């Protein structure tokens, strides 16, 4: 059973920073494709950032230049450094994972593009003006 745990959320003023962490465990090979998404009341789910199997990050337009996503080795931990936070970044942030194959871990194949169903409990980020 794969488990996902997010941490690092909190309350900050606009312009502040937070660093989120996501840890995945339970898969024998211990490497995961990982991504962040967020949900706010009354809004659709938004993907925030992801890291592909070769380490290449991809960002949503609304966080480019402000957020930095990174994945540690072994590939079971994902970080999201959030800078220049704005009130509209207020949301619950979730980490979603998909166990990697050996080929993906070696960068020989990309992470899948479909929505990942293994998700943690989320961590709340609140940004006040």
């Amino acid at each position: 059973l794969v488990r996902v745990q997010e941490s690092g959320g909190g309350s900050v003023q606009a312009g502040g920073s937070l660093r989120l962490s996501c840890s995945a465990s339970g898969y024998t090979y211990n490497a995961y494709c990982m991504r962040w998404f967020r949900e706010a009341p009354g809004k659709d789910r938004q993907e925030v950032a992801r890291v592909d199997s070769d380490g290449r990050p991809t960002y949503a337009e609304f966080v480019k230049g402000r957020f930095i996503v990174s994945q540690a080795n072994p590939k079971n931990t994902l970080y999201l450094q959030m800078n220049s936070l704005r009130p509209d970044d207020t949301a619950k942030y979730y980490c979603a994972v998909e166990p990697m194959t050996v080929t993906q871990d070696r960068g020989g194949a990309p992470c899948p593009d479909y929505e990942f169903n293994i998700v943690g409990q989320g961590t709340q980020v609140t940004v006040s003006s």
Side-chain angles (χ1 to χ4, degrees):
L1 180 65
V2 175
R3 280 174 280 201
V4 180
Q5 181 66 56
E6 303 95 338
S7 62
S11 297
V12 296
Q13 291 194 319
S17 298
L18 285 172
R19 189 181 194 222
L20 305 185
S21 298
C22 169
S23 177
S25 61
Y27 176 50
T28 303
Y29 188 64
N30 203 30
Y32 304 84
C33 294
M34 305 176 82
R35 57 182 64 153
W36 290 101
F37 68 91
R38 68 188 188 186
E39 291 184 346
K43 295 185 179 179
D44 293 335
R45 174 184 290 193
Q46 295 179 308
E47 181 172 315
V48 176
R50 63 169 73 177
V51 176
D52 209 339
S53 59
D54 60 0
R56 181 175 52 89
T58 301
Y59 298 96
E61 282 296 324
F62 52 81
V63 302
K64 278 184 180 177
R66 300 189 297 126
F67 291 10
I68 300 171
V69 65
S70 59
Q71 189 173 30
N73 274 317
K75 295 172 184 171
N76 58 8
T77 305
L78 189 71
Y79 301 102
L80 186 67
Q81 177 65 43
M82 305 189 296
N83 302 318
S84 302
L85 282 160
R86 309 185 305 218
D88 61 2
D89 292 316
T90 295
K92 197 160 190 180
Y93 285 71
Y94 296 87
C95 178
V97 309
E98 178 81 359
M100 269 188 182
T101 64
V102 173
T103 302
Q104 286 169 330
D105 188 28
R106 293 174 180 173
C111 289
D113 203 37
Y114 53 73
E115 188 171 293
F116 297 166
N117 293 321
I118 304 172
V119 180
Q121 295 295 310
T123 185
Q124 179 67 38
V125 171
T126 303
V127 185
S128 58
S129 57

